[in-house]
Amino acid sequence: HGREGVAIEGAEVGIHGDKLKVVARAATEVFQSLATRVAGLWSSHAKSAHTLVEGDTVTQAKNATILTEDNVVVNGKKLFLG
């Protein structure tokens, strides 16, 4: 395919290797459902981030920390602590 691209199709597609590196100018992922499991550290670095959830969202951890250099804004009708 060269500059035209590559298409991979199948009922199940597997990629196996010691390392996987993906480099692109832009990327879009579309899934009906997605589950990710990471055995070690999951780290993300971005200039900015935006997450939109149309329903409920839950974050569960043994401990959690939010660090910010400036303001933290919580916008909602009620805030429950404890």
Side-chain angles (χ1 to χ4, degrees):
H1 282 64
R3 306 260 323 145
E4 296 173 18
V6 175
I8 301 172
E9 255 185 73
E12 183 172 321
V13 177
I15 300 173
H16 302 273
D18 291 333
K19 285 187 174 185
L20 175 63
K21 184 175 183 178
V22 178
V23 178
R25 190 170 37 83
T28 301
E29 295 177 313
V30 178
F31 302 101
Q32 185 174 10
S33 178
L34 173 67
T36 303
R37 183 174 296 266
V38 178
L41 172 68
W42 177 13
S43 178
S44 179
H45 181 118
K47 182 178 178 183
S48 63
H50 175 89
T51 302
L52 174 63
V53 178
E54 293 180 1
D56 296 336
T57 183
V58 174
T59 301
Q60 182 176 338
K62 184 176 179 180
N63 295 293
T65 303
I66 299 173
L67 300 175
T68 179
E69 290 183 13
D70 293 316
N71 300 322
V72 173
V73 176
V74 178
N75 186 354
K77 293 179 182 178
K78 294 181 181 180
L79 176 63
F80 299 96
L81 300 173

Coordinates of all heavy atoms in Angstrom, one line a residue:
H1 N 0.8 -1.2 0.0 CA 0.0 0.0 0.0 C 0.9 1.3 0.0 O 0.4 2.3 -0.4 CB -0.9 0.0 1.2 CG -2.1 -0.9 1.0 ND1 -2.1 -2.2 0.9 CD2 -3.4 -0.6 0.9 CE1 -3.3 -2.7 0.7 NE2 -4.1 -1.7 0.7
G2 N 2.1 1.2 0.5 CA 2.9 2.4 0.5 C 2.3 3.6 1.2 O 1.8 3.6 2.3
R3 N 2.3 4.7 0.5 CA 1.7 6.0 1.0 C 0.2 6.0 1.1 O -0.4 6.8 1.8 CB 2.1 7.2 0.1 CG 3.6 7.3 -0.2 CD 4.4 8.3 0.6 NE 3.7 9.5 0.9 CZ 3.9 10.2 2.1 NH1 4.7 9.7 3.0 NH2 3.4 11.3 2.3
E4 N -0.4 5.0 0.5 CA -1.9 4.9 0.5 C -2.4 4.3 1.9 O -3.5 4.6 2.3 CB -2.4 4.0 -0.6 CG -2.1 4.5 -2.0 CD -2.5 3.5 -3.0 OE1 -3.3 2.6 -2.8 OE2 -2.0 3.7 -4.2
G5 N -1.6 3.6 2.6 CA -1.9 3.1 3.9 C -2.0 1.5 3.9 O -1.8 0.9 2.9
V6 N -2.3 1.0 5.0 CA -2.5 -0.4 5.2 C -3.8 -0.7 6.0 O -4.1 0.0 7.0 CB -1.3 -1.0 6.0 CG1 -1.5 -2.5 6.3 CG2 0.0 -0.8 5.3
A7 N -4.5 -1.7 5.6 CA -5.8 -2.1 6.2 C -5.6 -3.5 6.7 O -5.2 -4.4 6.0 CB -7.0 -1.9 5.3
I8 N -6.0 -3.7 8.0 CA -6.0 -5.1 8.5 C -7.4 -5.4 9.0 O -8.0 -4.6 9.8 CB -5.0 -5.2 9.7 CG1 -3.6 -4.9 9.3 CG2 -5.1 -6.6 10.3 CD1 -2.6 -4.8 10.4
E9 N -8.0 -6.5 8.5 CA -9.3 -6.8 8.9 C -9.4 -8.3 9.3 O -8.7 -9.1 8.7 CB -10.3 -6.6 7.7 CG -11.1 -5.4 7.8 CD -12.1 -5.3 6.6 OE1 -13.1 -6.1 6.6 OE2 -11.9 -4.4 5.8
G10 N -10.3 -8.6 10.2 CA -10.5 -9.9 10.6 C -11.4 -10.0 11.8 O -11.6 -9.0 12.5
A11 N -11.9 -11.2 12.1 CA -12.8 -11.4 13.2 C -12.0 -11.2 14.5 O -12.5 -10.6 15.5 CB -13.4 -12.8 13.2
E12 N -10.7 -11.5 14.5 CA -9.8 -11.3 15.7 C -8.5 -11.0 15.1 O -7.9 -11.8 14.3 CB -9.8 -12.5 16.6 CG -9.0 -12.3 17.8 CD -9.1 -13.4 18.8 OE1 -10.2 -13.9 19.0 OE2 -8.1 -13.8 19.4
V13 N -7.9 -9.9 15.6 CA -6.5 -9.5 15.1 C -5.6 -9.4 16.4 O -6.0 -8.7 17.3 CB -6.5 -8.2 14.4 CG1 -5.1 -7.8 14.0 CG2 -7.4 -8.3 13.1
G14 N -4.5 -10.1 16.4 CA -3.6 -10.1 17.5 C -2.2 -9.5 17.1 O -1.8 -9.8 16.0
I15 N -1.7 -8.7 18.0 CA -0.3 -8.2 17.8 C 0.5 -8.6 19.1 O 0.1 -8.3 20.2 CB -0.3 -6.7 17.7 CG1 -1.1 -6.3 16.5 CG2 1.1 -6.2 17.5 CD1 -1.3 -4.8 16.3
H16 N 1.6 -9.3 18.9 CA 2.4 -9.8 20.0 C 3.8 -9.4 19.8 O 4.3 -9.5 18.7 CB 2.3 -11.4 20.1 CG 0.9 -11.9 20.3 ND1 0.3 -12.0 21.5 CD2 0.0 -12.2 19.3 CE1 -1.0 -12.4 21.3 NE2 -1.2 -12.6 20.0
G17 N 4.4 -8.9 20.9 CA 5.9 -8.6 20.8 C 6.4 -8.1 22.1 O 5.6 -7.9 23.0
D18 N 7.7 -8.0 22.3 CA 8.3 -7.5 23.5 C 8.0 -6.0 23.7 O 7.8 -5.6 24.8 CB 9.8 -7.8 23.5 CG 10.1 -9.3 23.6 OD1 9.2 -10.0 24.2 OD2 11.1 -9.7 23.2
K19 N 7.9 -5.3 22.6 CA 7.7 -3.9 22.6 C 6.8 -3.5 21.5 O 6.9 -4.1 20.4 CB 8.9 -3.0 22.5 CG 9.8 -3.0 23.8 CD 10.9 -2.0 23.6 CE 11.7 -1.8 24.9 NZ 12.7 -0.8 24.7
L20 N 5.9 -2.5 21.7 CA 5.0 -2.0 20.6 C 5.2 -0.5 20.6 O 4.9 0.2 21.7 CB 3.5 -2.4 20.8 CG 2.5 -1.8 19.9 CD1 2.8 -2.3 18.4 CD2 1.1 -2.1 20.3
K21 N 5.5 0.1 19.5 CA 5.7 1.5 19.4 C 4.8 2.0 18.3 O 4.9 1.5 17.2 CB 7.2 1.9 19.1 CG 7.5 3.4 19.1 CD 9.0 3.6 18.9 CE 9.2 5.1 19.0 NZ 10.7 5.4 18.9
V22 N 4.0 3.0 18.6 CA 3.1 3.6 17.6 C 3.4 5.1 17.5 O 3.4 5.8 18.5 CB 1.6 3.4 17.9 CG1 0.7 4.0 16.9 CG2 1.3 1.9 18.1
V23 N 3.7 5.6 16.3 CA 4.0 7.0 16.1 C 3.1 7.5 15.0 O 3.1 6.9 13.9 CB 5.5 7.2 15.8 CG1 5.8 8.7 15.5 CG2 6.4 6.7 16.9
A24 N 2.4 8.6 15.2 CA 1.5 9.1 14.2 C 1.3 10.6 14.5 O 1.4 11.1 15.6 CB 0.2 8.4 14.2
R25 N 1.0 11.4 13.4 CA 0.7 12.8 13.6 C -0.6 13.0 14.3 O -0.9 13.9 15.0 CB 0.8 13.5 12.2 CG 0.7 15.0 12.3 CD 1.0 15.6 10.9 NE 0.5 14.9 9.8 CZ -0.8 15.0 9.3 NH1 -1.7 15.8 9.9 NH2 -1.2 14.4 8.2
A26 N -1.6 12.1 14.0 CA -2.9 12.1 14.6 C -3.4 10.7 14.6 O -3.1 9.8 13.8 CB -3.9 13.0 13.8
A27 N -4.3 10.4 15.6 CA -4.9 9.0 15.7 C -6.3 9.1 16.2 O -6.6 10.0 17.1 CB -4.0 8.2 16.7
T28 N -7.1 8.2 15.8 CA -8.5 8.1 16.2 C -8.8 6.6 16.5 O -8.5 5.8 15.7 CB -9.5 8.6 15.2 OG1 -9.2 10.0 14.9 CG2 -10.9 8.5 15.7
E29 N -9.3 6.4 17.7 CA -9.8 5.0 18.0 C -11.3 5.0 18.3 O -11.8 5.9 18.9 CB -9.1 4.5 19.3 CG -7.6 4.4 19.2 CD -6.9 4.0 20.5 OE1 -7.3 4.6 21.5 OE2 -6.1 3.1 20.5
V30 N -12.0 4.1 17.7 CA -13.4 3.9 17.9 C -13.7 2.5 18.3 O -13.3 1.6 17.6 CB -14.2 4.3 16.6 CG1 -15.7 4.2 16.7 CG2 -13.8 5.7 16.1
F31 N -14.4 2.3 19.4 CA -14.7 1.0 19.9 C -16.2 1.0 20.4 O -16.7 2.1 20.9 CB -13.9 0.6 21.1 CG -12.4 0.6 20.9 CD1 -11.6 1.7 21.3 CD2 -11.8 -0.4 20.2 CE1 -10.3 1.7 21.1 CE2 -10.4 -0.4 20.0 CZ -9.7 0.6 20.4
Q32 N -16.8 -0.1 20.3 CA -18.2 -0.2 20.9 C -18.0 -0.4 22.4 O -18.7 0.1 23.3 CB -18.9 -1.4 20.3 CG -20.3 -1.5 20.9 CD -21.1 -2.6 20.1 OE1 -20.6 -3.4 19.4 NE2 -22.4 -2.6 20.4
S33 N -16.9 -1.1 22.8 CA -16.6 -1.4 24.2 C -15.0 -1.6 24.3 O -14.4 -2.1 23.3 CB -17.3 -2.6 24.7 OG -16.9 -2.9 26.0
L34 N -14.4 -1.1 25.3 CA -13.0 -1.2 25.5 C -12.6 -1.5 26.9 O -13.1 -0.9 27.8 CB -12.3 0.1 25.0 CG -10.8 0.3 25.3 CD1 -10.0 -0.7 24.4 CD2 -10.3 1.7 25.1
A35 N -11.7 -2.5 27.1 CA -11.2 -2.8 28.4 C -9.6 -2.8 28.3 O -9.1 -3.4 27.3 CB -11.6 -4.2 28.9
T36 N -9.0 -2.1 29.2 CA -7.5 -2.1 29.2 C -7.0 -2.6 30.5 O -7.5 -2.2 31.6 CB -7.0 -0.6 29.0 OG1 -7.6 -0.1 27.8 CG2 -5.5 -0.5 29.0
R37 N -6.0 -3.5 30.5 CA -5.4 -4.0 31.7 C -4.0 -3.8 31.6 O -3.3 -4.2 30.7 CB -5.7 -5.5 31.8 CG -5.2 -6.1 33.1 CD -5.7 -7.5 33.3 NE -7.1 -7.6 33.4 CZ -7.8 -7.7 34.5 NH1 -7.1 -7.6 35.7 NH2 -9.1 -7.8 34.5
V38 N -3.4 -3.1 32.7 CA -2.0 -2.8 32.7 C -1.5 -3.4 34.0 O -1.9 -3.1 35.1 CB -1.7 -1.3 32.7 CG1 -0.3 -1.0 32.8 CG2 -2.3 -0.7 31.4
A39 N -0.4 -4.2 33.9 CA 0.1 -4.9 35.1 C 1.0 -4.0 35.9 O 1.0 -4.1 37.2 CB 0.9 -6.1 34.7
G40 N 1.6 -3.0 35.3 CA 2.5 -2.1 36.0 C 2.0 -0.7 36.0 O 0.8 -0.5 36.1
L41 N 2.9 0.3 35.7 CA 2.5 1.7 35.7 C 1.8 2.1 34.4 O 2.3 1.7 33.3 CB 3.8 2.6 35.9 CG 3.6 4.1 35.7 CD1 2.8 4.6 36.8 CD2 5.0 4.7 35.6
W42 N 0.7 2.8 34.5 CA 0.1 3.4 33.3 C 0.3 4.9 33.4 O -0.1 5.6 34.3 CB -1.4 3.1 33.3 CG -2.2 3.8 32.2 CD1 -1.6 4.4 31.1 CD2 -3.6 3.9 32.0 NE1 -2.6 4.8 30.2 CE2 -3.8 4.6 30.8 CE3 -4.6 3.5 32.8 CZ2 -5.1 4.9 30.4 CZ3 -5.9 3.8 32.4 CH2 -6.1 4.5 31.2
S43 N 1.1 5.5 32.5 CA 1.5 6.9 32.5 C 1.1 7.5 31.2 O 1.2 7.0 30.2 CB 3.0 6.9 32.7 OG 3.5 8.3 32.7
S44 N 0.6 8.8 31.4 CA 0.2 9.5 30.2 C 0.7 10.9 30.3 O 0.7 11.5 31.4 CB -1.4 9.5 30.1 OG -1.8 10.3 29.0
H45 N 1.2 11.5 29.2 CA 1.8 12.9 29.3 C 1.2 13.6 28.1 O 1.2 13.2 26.9 CB 3.3 12.8 29.1 CG 3.9 14.2 29.1 ND1 4.8 14.5 30.1 CD2 3.8 15.2 28.3 CE1 5.2 15.8 29.9 NE2 4.6 16.2 28.8
A46 N 0.5 14.7 28.4 CA -0.2 15.5 27.3 C -0.1 17.0 27.6 O 0.1 17.4 28.8 CB -1.6 15.1 27.2
K47 N -0.2 17.8 26.6 CA -0.2 19.3 26.8 C -1.5 19.6 27.5 O -1.5 20.5 28.4 CB -0.1 20.0 25.4 CG -0.1 21.5 25.6 CD 0.0 22.1 24.2 CE 0.0 23.7 24.4 NZ 0.1 24.3 23.1
S48 N -2.6 19.0 27.1 CA -3.9 19.2 27.8 C -4.7 17.9 27.6 O -4.4 17.1 26.8 CB -4.6 20.4 27.2 OG -5.0 20.2 25.9
A49 N -5.8 17.7 28.4 CA -6.6 16.5 28.3 C -8.0 16.9 28.5 O -8.4 17.8 29.3 CB -6.1 15.5 29.3
H50 N -8.9 16.2 27.8 CA -10.4 16.4 28.0 C -11.0 15.1 27.9 O -10.8 14.3 27.0 CB -10.9 17.3 26.8 CG -12.3 17.4 26.8 ND1 -13.0 18.5 27.5 CD2 -13.3 16.7 26.2 CE1 -14.3 18.3 27.3 NE2 -14.5 17.3 26.5
T51 N -11.8 14.8 28.9 CA -12.6 13.5 29.0 C -14.1 13.9 29.1 O -14.5 14.6 30.0 CB -12.2 12.7 30.2 OG1 -10.8 12.4 30.1 CG2 -12.9 11.4 30.2
L52 N -14.9 13.3 28.2 CA -16.3 13.5 28.3 C -17.0 12.1 28.5 O -16.8 11.2 27.7 CB -16.8 14.1 27.0 CG -18.3 14.3 26.8 CD1 -18.9 15.2 27.9 CD2 -18.6 14.8 25.4
V53 N -17.8 12.0 29.5 CA -18.5 10.8 29.8 C -20.0 11.1 29.8 O -20.4 12.0 30.6 CB -18.1 10.2 31.2 CG1 -18.9 8.9 31.5 CG2 -16.6 9.9 31.2
E54 N -20.8 10.5 29.0 CA -22.2 10.8 28.9 C -23.0 10.3 30.0 O -24.1 10.7 30.3 CB -22.7 10.3 27.5 CG -22.1 11.1 26.3 CD -22.7 10.6 25.0 OE1 -23.5 9.7 25.0 OE2 -22.2 11.1 24.0
G55 N -22.5 9.3 30.7 CA -23.2 8.7 31.9 C -22.4 9.0 33.2 O -21.8 10.0 33.3
D56 N -22.4 8.0 34.1 CA -21.6 8.1 35.3 C -20.2 7.7 35.1 O -19.9 7.0 34.2 CB -22.2 7.2 36.4 CG -23.6 7.6 36.8 OD1 -24.0 8.8 36.6 OD2 -24.4 6.8 37.3
T57 N -19.3 8.2 35.9 CA -17.9 7.8 35.9 C -17.5 7.5 37.4 O -17.9 8.2 38.3 CB -17.0 8.9 35.2 OG1 -15.7 8.4 35.2 CG2 -17.0 10.2 36.0
V58 N -16.6 6.5 37.5 CA -16.1 6.2 38.8 C -14.6 6.0 38.7 O -14.1 5.3 37.8 CB -16.8 4.8 39.3 CG1 -16.1 4.4 40.6 CG2 -18.3 5.0 39.5
T59 N -13.9 6.5 39.7 CA -12.5 6.3 39.8 C -12.3 5.6 41.2 O -12.7 6.2 42.2 CB -11.6 7.6 39.7 OG1 -11.9 8.2 38.5 CG2 -10.2 7.3 39.9
Q60 N -11.6 4.5 41.2 CA -11.4 3.7 42.4 C -9.9 3.5 42.6 O -9.3 3.0 41.7 CB -12.2 2.4 42.4 CG -12.1 1.6 43.7 CD -12.9 0.4 43.6 OE1 -13.9 0.3 42.9 NE2 -12.6 -0.6 44.4
A61 N -9.4 3.8 43.8 CA -8.0 3.6 44.1 C -7.8 3.5 45.6 O -8.6 3.9 46.4 CB -7.1 4.8 43.5
K62 N -6.7 2.9 46.0 CA -6.3 2.8 47.4 C -6.0 4.2 47.9 O -6.5 4.6 49.0 CB -5.1 1.9 47.6 CG -4.8 1.7 49.0 CD -3.6 0.7 49.1 CE -3.2 0.5 50.6 NZ -2.1 -0.5 50.7
N63 N -5.3 5.0 47.2 CA -5.0 6.4 47.5 C -5.1 7.2 46.2 O -4.8 6.7 45.1 CB -3.6 6.6 48.1 CG -3.5 5.9 49.5 OD1 -4.1 6.2 50.4 ND2 -2.7 4.8 49.5
A64 N -5.4 8.5 46.3 CA -5.4 9.4 45.2 C -4.9 10.8 45.5 O -5.1 11.2 46.6 CB -6.9 9.5 44.6
T65 N -4.2 11.4 44.6 CA -3.7 12.7 44.7 C -3.9 13.5 43.5 O -3.7 13.0 42.4 CB -2.1 12.7 45.0 OG1 -1.9 11.8 46.1 CG2 -1.6 14.0 45.2
I66 N -4.4 14.8 43.6 CA -4.5 15.7 42.5 C -3.6 16.8 42.8 O -3.6 17.5 43.9 CB -6.0 16.2 42.4 CG1 -7.0 15.1 42.2 CG2 -6.1 17.3 41.3 CD1 -8.4 15.5 42.2
L67 N -2.7 17.1 41.9 CA -1.7 18.2 42.0 C -2.0 19.2 41.0 O -2.2 18.9 39.8 CB -0.3 17.6 41.9 CG 0.2 16.6 42.8 CD1 1.6 16.1 42.4 CD2 0.2 17.1 44.2
T68 N -2.0 20.5 41.4 CA -2.2 21.6 40.4 C -1.3 22.8 40.8 O -1.1 23.0 42.0 CB -3.7 21.9 40.3 OG1 -3.8 23.0 39.4 CG2 -4.2 22.4 41.7
E69 N -0.9 23.5 39.9 CA -0.1 24.7 40.2 C -1.0 25.9 40.5 O -0.6 26.8 41.2 CB 0.8 25.1 39.0 CG 2.0 24.1 38.8 CD 2.9 24.5 37.7 OE1 2.8 25.7 37.2 OE2 3.7 23.7 37.2
D70 N -2.2 25.9 39.9 CA -3.1 27.0 40.1 C -4.5 26.5 40.7 O -4.4 26.0 41.8 CB -3.4 27.7 38.8 CG -2.1 28.4 38.2 OD1 -1.5 29.1 39.0 OD2 -1.9 28.3 37.0
N71 N -5.6 26.8 40.1 CA -6.9 26.6 40.6 C -7.4 25.2 40.4 O -7.1 24.5 39.4 CB -7.9 27.6 40.0 CG -7.5 29.0 40.3 OD1 -7.0 29.3 41.3 ND2 -7.7 29.8 39.3
V72 N -8.3 24.7 41.3 CA -9.1 23.5 41.1 C -10.5 23.9 41.2 O -10.9 24.6 42.1 CB -8.8 22.5 42.2 CG1 -9.8 21.3 42.1 CG2 -7.4 22.0 42.2
V73 N -11.3 23.6 40.2 CA -12.7 23.9 40.2 C -13.6 22.7 40.2 O -13.3 21.7 39.4 CB -13.1 24.7 38.8 CG1 -14.6 25.0 38.8 CG2 -12.2 26.0 38.8
V74 N -14.5 22.6 41.1 CA -15.5 21.5 41.2 C -16.9 22.2 40.9 O -17.3 23.1 41.7 CB -15.5 20.8 42.6 CG1 -16.6 19.8 42.6 CG2 -14.1 20.3 42.9
N75 N -17.5 21.7 39.8 CA -18.8 22.4 39.4 C -19.9 21.3 39.5 O -19.9 20.3 38.8 CB -18.6 22.9 38.0 CG -19.9 23.7 37.6 OD1 -20.9 23.7 38.3 ND2 -19.8 24.2 36.4
G76 N -20.8 21.5 40.4 CA -21.9 20.5 40.6 C -22.9 21.1 41.6 O -22.7 22.0 42.3
K77 N -24.1 20.4 41.6 CA -25.1 20.8 42.5 C -24.8 20.5 44.0 O -25.1 21.3 44.9 CB -26.4 20.2 42.2 CG -27.0 20.7 40.8 CD -28.3 20.0 40.5 CE -28.8 20.4 39.1 NZ -30.0 19.7 38.8
K78 N -24.1 19.4 44.2 CA -23.8 18.9 45.6 C -22.4 18.3 45.6 O -22.0 17.7 44.6 CB -24.8 17.9 46.1 CG -26.2 18.5 46.3 CD -27.1 17.4 46.9 CE -28.5 17.9 47.0 NZ -29.4 16.8 47.6
L79 N -21.7 18.5 46.7 CA -20.4 17.9 46.9 C -20.4 17.1 48.2 O -20.7 17.7 49.2 CB -19.3 18.9 46.9 CG -17.9 18.5 47.2 CD1 -17.4 17.5 46.1 CD2 -16.9 19.6 47.3
F80 N -20.2 15.8 48.1 CA -20.2 14.9 49.3 C -18.8 14.5 49.6 O -18.1 14.0 48.8 CB -21.1 13.7 49.1 CG -22.5 14.0 48.8 CD1 -22.9 14.1 47.5 CD2 -23.4 14.2 49.8 CE1 -24.3 14.3 47.2 CE2 -24.7 14.5 49.5 CZ -25.2 14.6 48.2
L81 N -18.4 14.8 50.9 CA -17.0 14.4 51.3 C -17.2 13.4 52.5 O -18.0 13.5 53.3 CB -16.2 15.6 51.8 CG -16.0 16.7 50.8 CD1 -15.4 17.9 51.5 CD2 -15.1 16.2 49.7
G82 N -16.3 12.4 52.5 CA -16.3 11.4 53.6 C -17.1 10.3 53.3 O -17.5 9.4 53.1

